[in-house]
Amino acid sequence: MNLQMRIDLSAQLGEYILSNSAEWQETKHKASLTNPWFTPEFIDLAAGNIANKFLDKQKLESWASFYRIETTDPKKIGVVMAGNIPLVGFHDFLSVFISGHKAIIKASSKDEVLIKHLVQKLTELSTNRQTPSENKELNELIVFQEMLRGCDAYIATGSNNSARYFEYYFKKYPHIIRRNRTSVAVLDGNETTAELEKLADDVHLYFGMGCRNVTKIFVPKGYDFMPMLSAFKKYDHFKDHNKYKNNYDYNLALHILNGKYYMANESIILLENPSIFSPISQLNYEFYTDKKMVAESLRTLNDLQCAVGHDYIPFGQAQLPSLTDHADGIDTMNFLTKL
């Protein structure tokens, strides 16, 4: 199976996602029942972005053209996937598949329904167009396992704690180990209502559990938070989500008991805090007097995935990554093609 065949199959998979067939709808429903954090709305958002930004044929061909992809000596790549948002490990899988290596995948128990179904669908699509030998090759190229042993290289995503274990177990092999990351926004006080509503997406999508979610904002001294809190009301329906509401109530109770000053609406709690990480349902903020100093400080943050603002990623685009928006800033395809 050559590169063009793999690109064509991937593009077909994107068409399948966008077709929203009864089979795909049933799979999404099963995934939302398995993991209550995966609401139908957020599954559709993640899958739609993958179909439009990752699996578009022209985008795939352009992406692949930047690398020297050879399949004469395919390696076994162990992929440990996270499960914080729907299909969060798809880019790693796609990179391994397009590069021609063999993907040995350990799916997260929180997000195994969707990825396993799409791999199964990819196999079915290949059956319709490939020879029996090529179908056998595809089945060997993508395998799910609970224990990743005997691989030539590893790509693992997890928490800072699990990353320490990954570093220990995979230290003898070429590897990419991803840790906790998060994103911030830098405001100047001139944001329009439309921009603030898009910022609400950057904060709230996937309940704020992705590394590209904004968990802290930098605002000028004297900033008026009322327009922001008003714009964030588009997510007031989060109060009806049991798991999110439990986090909201817990954090709110902590701040009340500790006598902390906070601001809140039905969906978010604003707290002045220097940390760029915040718990679910909370958004940290920090005042600044010099915007250039903020930019300089962001360049030194190892835990930063991306920044949103007038001088950064446009508002509302944080959770719409492209093929070249690499997690942790590490070019996965470059890593794979140089093994």
Side-chain angles (χ1 to χ4, degrees), residues 67-79:
Y67 307 92
R68 184 178 179 181
I69 297 177
E70 299 176 350
T71 56
T72 54
D73 183 25
K75 307 295 184 183
K76 292 182 178 180
I77 312 298
V79 181

Side-chain angles (χ1 to χ4, degrees), residues 143-295:
V143 179
F144 288 93
Q145 291 183 1
E146 282 302 307
M147 298 293 291
L148 300 184
R149 292 175 177 169
C151 297
D152 301 299
Y154 293 88
I155 301 173
T157 304
S159 66
N160 288 347
N161 187 47
S162 61
R164 288 194 288 269
Y165 291 97
F166 294 150
E167 289 281 7
Y168 175 78
Y169 287 117
F170 304 149
K171 61 184 177 182
K172 296 180 181 179
Y173 306 91
H175 60 259
I176 295 175
I177 308 296
R178 301 202 183 95
R179 297 167 174 78
N180 288 348
R181 288 218 171 198
T182 193
S183 301
V184 303
V186 181
L187 309 185
D188 55 28
N190 297 316
E191 291 74 23
T192 65
T193 299
E195 287 176 326
L196 291 176
E197 289 178 350
K198 290 178 180 179
L199 174 62
D201 297 336
D202 296 325
V203 172
H204 291 84
L205 291 179
Y206 308 116
F207 298 107
M209 298 174 71
C211 67
R212 299 182 68 87
N213 280 108
V214 169
T215 52
K216 179 176 181 177
I217 56 175
F218 294 87
V219 296
K221 203 74 173 176
Y223 182 80
D224 180 9
F225 288 94
M226 292 309 298
M228 176 189 296
L229 286 169
S230 179
F232 281 15
K233 286 183 178 180
K234 66 185 291 188
Y235 286 95
D236 276 0
H237 62 277
F238 276 15
K239 66 179 182 294
D240 299 321
H241 189 276
N242 184 55
K243 284 183 170 292
Y244 187 88
K245 188 64 164 59
N246 287 341
N247 280 270
Y248 180 96
D249 290 343
Y250 174 79
N251 289 315
L252 185 62
L254 278 181
H255 300 326
I256 292 173
L257 289 173
N258 291 325
K260 293 282 186 71
Y261 175 79
Y262 68 89
M263 294 170 280
N265 60 17
E266 297 282 356
S267 67
I268 202 77
I269 302 167
L270 296 180
L271 188 77
E272 187 172 7
N273 191 308
S275 175
I276 64 171
F277 290 94
S278 64
I280 295 173
S281 77
Q282 181 175 306
L283 176 64
N284 293 344
Y285 67 86
E286 182 177 333
F287 292 110
Y288 70 83
T289 55
D290 188 336
K291 196 175 180 182
K292 290 183 179 179
M293 290 185 64
V294 175

Side-chain angles (χ1 to χ4, degrees), residues 48-184:
N49 189 67
I50 285 172
N52 291 312
K53 296 287 189 72
F54 292 4
L55 300 179
D56 175 83
K57 188 175 180 179
Q58 288 186 329
K59 290 183 174 67
L60 283 167
E61 290 175 339
S62 176
W63 178 49
S65 69
F66 281 102
Y67 307 92
R68 184 178 179 181
I69 297 177
E70 299 176 350
T71 56
T72 54
D73 183 25
K75 307 295 184 183
K76 292 182 178 180
I77 312 298
V79 181
V80 182
M81 293 185 172
N84 50 320
I85 68 176
L87 292 169
V88 68
F90 190 88
H91 190 280
D92 286 337
F93 155 70
L94 182 64
S95 298
V96 176
F97 179 62
I98 294 297
S99 69
H101 293 301
K102 299 178 181 179
I104 315 299
I105 301 171
K106 176 174 172 46
S108 168
S109 60
K110 299 176 181 178
D111 184 26
E112 60 181 351
V113 174
L114 297 170
I115 187 66
K116 287 184 176 180
H117 174 78
L118 291 181
V119 168
Q120 177 188 350
K121 180 54 61 174
L122 193 68
T123 304
E124 293 176 11
L125 291 170
S126 73
T127 304
N128 299 331
R129 56 179 295 151
Q130 311 297 341
T131 65
S133 63
E134 287 166 340
N135 289 332
K136 181 176 182 294
E137 181 188 359
L138 181 59
N139 287 327
E140 293 175 349
L141 281 176
I142 311 167
V143 179
F144 288 93
Q145 291 183 1
E146 282 302 307
M147 298 293 291
L148 300 184
R149 292 175 177 169
C151 297
D152 301 299
Y154 293 88
I155 301 173
T157 304
S159 66
N160 288 347
N161 187 47
S162 61
R164 288 194 288 269
Y165 291 97
F166 294 150
E167 289 281 7
Y168 175 78
Y169 287 117
F170 304 149
K171 61 184 177 182
K172 296 180 181 179
Y173 306 91
H175 60 259
I176 295 175
I177 308 296
R178 301 202 183 95
R179 297 167 174 78
N180 288 348
R181 288 218 171 198
T182 193
S183 301
V184 303

